[in-house]
Amino acid sequence: MKRWISLWLALFLLCGCAPTGKEASSSQKPLPEGPIHLLVWTDGETDAWEAIAAAYTDCTLEFVKARDGDENSRALRAALAGKEAPDVFLLQAKDLAAFKASCEDLSAENWVNNAPAGTMTEVQDGTMIFAMPAKIEGVGFLYRKDIFSAAGINRENINSFSRLCDTATLLAERIRDGAFADFKNLKSVFGIPQEIGEVAEKFLPNIALSAQFDGTSRLLREKLQELEQSQALKSFLDLQKQYACFETDPVQALKSGEVVMTLASHTAADGETVGLMPVPVPDGAQDCLMLQVPQYWAVNAEASAEKKKAAKKFLAALYTDSALETAVVHDWGIVPPFGNFEPETEAGKEVRRCVLSGRTLPMVTDGLNEEQLSEIGQAVEGYLTDRETFEQLTAQLLEILGG
């Protein structure tokens, strides 16, 4: 079928804005005649979508996005309620529950069996799977390659928690003794953020708890009684307490040479000075990356049978059709959740290696609401700053997760 890209896309590139759902339905321009209209929230990644539309020949693709300044979920809801509702759309992870009723069941699709462990739990409702991971991010230790090299440290050897502790002790001693003359700003082994955020709310507790409970928040709640004996959580937090400093922006502190390591997404690694290292987990069998899924694809449950079929075929092709590989990994710049596409960045390749070797951890905190995450973050921060004991921390976690 003839490839066609909506005139709207050209207008987006020229003026930097696009209509919301209501405005889209009142447009005087006719919709394309193809069997599928793809609505994506591009966040400025228009080159990727244009490249995908040009490379995919099975149907016509049209791309729209929320107007600059509009809140994505509100604009998407308006679009789905309009006369020209999208057939396929990207969902932010935080919006999954709110849009579940608008999503078609994808449980019969072949890719379901290839999704990395822990990435599907939040889109499962009984036997129904209502969304597909759009991209994955690996959370681990970002580290300064040059400081490791100066200390004679081979990061490949840091594959157990005891070796991570030994490495932290060695680095701390050398920082204290002034052994890093070429790194005058260096002051601490680890950097953690001053402001409560996803590091305290999700990353720090999750690294230990996901290995112990092997599941998501729903499984975690079923085993709350084990939390009080969670030496894995205490060991990991204690290591941070002993060798970390609080930074306004730990990733920036890492890049400026003030700290050696910090927990963060692989997307912040540059591959030159800053690398990505899987996290050795207390009581865990191996070093792992924690996987998070920031966006999901969904198919409109109200679309026609023909369009649903075309939409599902497109989503399957997006990560497997070699004609789309450059557009996906280069123009979009993601780590695909499955398929054979090789990520372009060094950190992205590390994420893929860990996925293929089964060295990943799920987010046990997925599915918790913002209030619960904030309370977890405050509880973790209280322990890290010695305002509360570990017993008080676990009591708060039991109350938060059991509520």
Side-chain angles (χ1 to χ4, degrees):
M1 182 178 293
K2 180 180 178 181
R3 297 193 297 266
W4 185 92
I5 302 176
S6 171
L7 177 60
W8 285 4
L9 182 56
L11 292 175
F12 298 161
L13 296 174
L14 290 173
C15 68
C17 65
T20 60
K22 182 177 179 180
E23 292 170 313
S25 64
S26 62
S27 173
Q28 296 180 354
K29 297 295 182 182
L31 286 173
E33 296 301 322
I36 181 172
H37 308 145
L38 177 61
L39 176 64
V40 294
W41 308 106
T42 64
D43 298 328
E45 296 167 321
T46 49
D47 289 346
W49 311 126
E50 186 175 10
I52 289 170
Y56 189 68
T57 58
D58 281 13
C59 64
T60 297
L61 303 178
E62 178 181 9
F63 294 86
V64 295
K65 68 170 185 174
R67 184 174 55 198
D68 290 346
D70 280 352
E71 202 274 322
N72 276 357
S73 59
R74 184 178 65 248
L76 176 57
R77 190 174 298 282
L80 287 169
K83 295 180 180 179
E84 300 165 357
D87 302 300
V88 184
F89 47 92
L90 273 176
L91 279 175
Q92 304 300 317
K94 65 181 180 63
D95 292 329
L96 284 171
F99 285 90
K100 182 172 66 174
S102 299
C103 300
E104 172 73 1
D105 183 15
L106 304 176
S107 59
E109 300 305 298
N110 291 333
W111 54 260
V112 170
N113 295 324
N114 298 321
T119 61
M120 298 290 291
T121 307
E122 296 306 319
V123 295
Q124 288 180 293
D125 185 6
T127 60
M128 177 185 179
I129 293 176
F130 59 90
M132 180 181 90
K135 59 182 177 181
I136 55 176
E137 293 181 4
V139 176
F141 278 127
L142 300 189
Y143 71 99
R144 283 290 297 248
K145 292 182 173 182
D146 47 0
I147 297 177
F148 268 37
S149 178
I153 298 170
N154 181 352
R155 81 97 170 149
E156 298 289 344
N157 294 331
I158 310 174
N159 54 12
S160 68
F161 186 68
S162 62
R163 289 187 176 183
L164 176 64
C165 293
D166 291 342
T167 299
T169 300
L170 172 65
L171 288 168
E173 290 175 349
R174 295 197 177 184
I175 292 172
R176 181 196 61 203
D177 295 341
F180 295 110
D182 293 335
F183 304 97
K184 300 186 183 302
N185 296 327
L186 186 57
K187 58 185 179 182
S188 182
V189 178
F190 300 107
I192 53 180
Q194 291 178 344
E195 296 294 329
I196 297 173
E198 62 181 0
V199 173
E201 294 172 354
K202 299 172 69 174
F203 297 168
L204 283 172
N206 195 84
I207 286 292
L209 294 179
S210 59
Q212 179 171 346
F213 294 103
D214 191 26
T216 65
S217 55
R218 287 192 287 271
L219 295 178
L220 180 60
R221 292 190 190 98
E222 295 172 3
K223 303 178 71 176
L224 288 178
Q225 67 277 8
E226 298 181 25
L227 187 59
E228 293 176 301
Q229 287 78 43
S230 179
Q231 290 304 307
L233 176 60
K234 187 176 188 304
S235 297
F236 195 79
L237 294 180
D238 284 350
L239 183 66
Q240 301 293 309
K241 286 180 65 174
Q242 185 173 2
Y243 295 120
C245 64
F246 288 91
E247 298 286 348
T248 303
D249 184 346
V251 173
Q252 184 55 46
L254 178 75
K255 293 181 178 180
S256 62
E258 298 173 62
V259 300
V260 187
M261 290 181 273
T262 190
L263 274 177
S265 167
H266 83 274
T267 57
D270 59 21
E272 297 179 3
T273 303
V274 177
L276 174 70
M277 181 177 74
V279 178
V281 181
D283 301 335
Q286 55 191 343
D287 53 337
C288 301
L289 289 178
M290 180 168 54
L291 289 187
Q292 59 181 3
V293 186
Q295 290 180 318
Y296 291 81
W297 289 107
V299 174
N300 190 346
E302 300 300 320
S304 67
E306 180 185 24
K307 289 185 177 182
K308 287 179 182 178
K309 181 178 179 180
K312 293 174 183 179
K313 184 177 181 180
F314 167 72
L315 291 182
L318 188 58
Y319 303 106
T320 57
D321 187 341
S322 59
L324 300 176
E325 181 170 7
T326 298
V328 169
V329 300
H330 176 72
D331 298 316
W332 195 2
I334 68 164
V335 177
F338 27 70
N340 297 319
F341 296 170
E342 182 73 12
E344 283 207 328
T345 67
E346 177 186 295
K349 294 178 191 297
E350 181 66 34
V351 174
R352 178 170 166 76
R353 281 193 293 269
C354 286
V355 168
L356 293 177
S357 61
R359 293 160 52 216
T360 62
L361 298 172
M363 282 277 195
V364 297
T365 47
D366 278 352
L368 300 180
N369 59 44
E370 292 184 4
E371 181 180 358
Q372 289 173 311
L373 289 174
S374 178
E375 290 174 350
I376 289 175
Q378 292 177 39
V380 170
E381 185 190 44
Y383 179 66
L384 291 175
T385 55
D386 291 324
R387 296 198 308 270
E388 297 178 353
T389 65
F390 185 74
E391 289 71 22
Q392 290 173 315
L393 167 62
T394 55
Q396 291 185 61
L397 292 179
L398 287 167
E399 182 178 353
I400 295 166
L401 295 170

